[in-house]
Amino acid sequence: MRYARSVVQRVCDIAGEGTWIDDLQNRAERNGLIAAVETHDTATIYDWLIWELSFQGISDTVAEGYMAQHGNVTWAEIESSLGADPSCNKLHGYWAF
């Protein structure tokens, strides 16, 4: 039993902090994500999701450096671009596919 406990403890230590869920919720509250979900604020949710997805498969430092230098696409930018009558018919809406 002692060995089993040590294995479980080691897995938990590797997996992350015990306060991970609380930390995530606190971060979501600070970023306004919880309020955005409650009010169906698609733009805020989209911007948050694009930011978070930018860190997939690359180090945080590299991702943050790239976004600091080049920026990141936002809901407002996409909405503005699509509102300008895009030349590609498929960009008029999902039904065009």
Side-chain angles (χ1 to χ4, degrees), residues 63-80:
E64 287 173 351
Y66 183 87
M67 288 185 289
Q69 184 175 357
H70 301 285
N72 207 356
V73 67
T74 66
W75 178 271
E77 292 170 336
I78 293 171
E79 186 174 47
S80 173

Side-chain angles (χ1 to χ4, degrees), residues 85-97:
D85 195 26
S87 59
C88 176
N89 289 335
K90 292 182 179 178
L91 294 176
H92 288 279
Y94 68 89
W95 55 87
F97 284 97

Side-chain angles (χ1 to χ4, degrees), residues 32-46 75:
L33 186 60
I34 292 174
V37 170
E38 290 172 348
T39 61
H40 306 276
D41 182 355
T42 303
T44 299
I45 296 167
Y46 177 86
W75 178 271

Side-chain angles (χ1 to χ4, degrees), residues 5-16:
R5 283 188 188 137
S6 70
V7 169
V8 170
Q9 182 64 48
R10 180 71 178 134
V11 168
C12 291
D13 289 344
I14 292 171

Side-chain angles (χ1 to χ4, degrees), residues 12 16-23:
C12 291
E17 296 293 321
T19 61
W20 184 78
I21 298 293
D22 291 333
D23 294 344

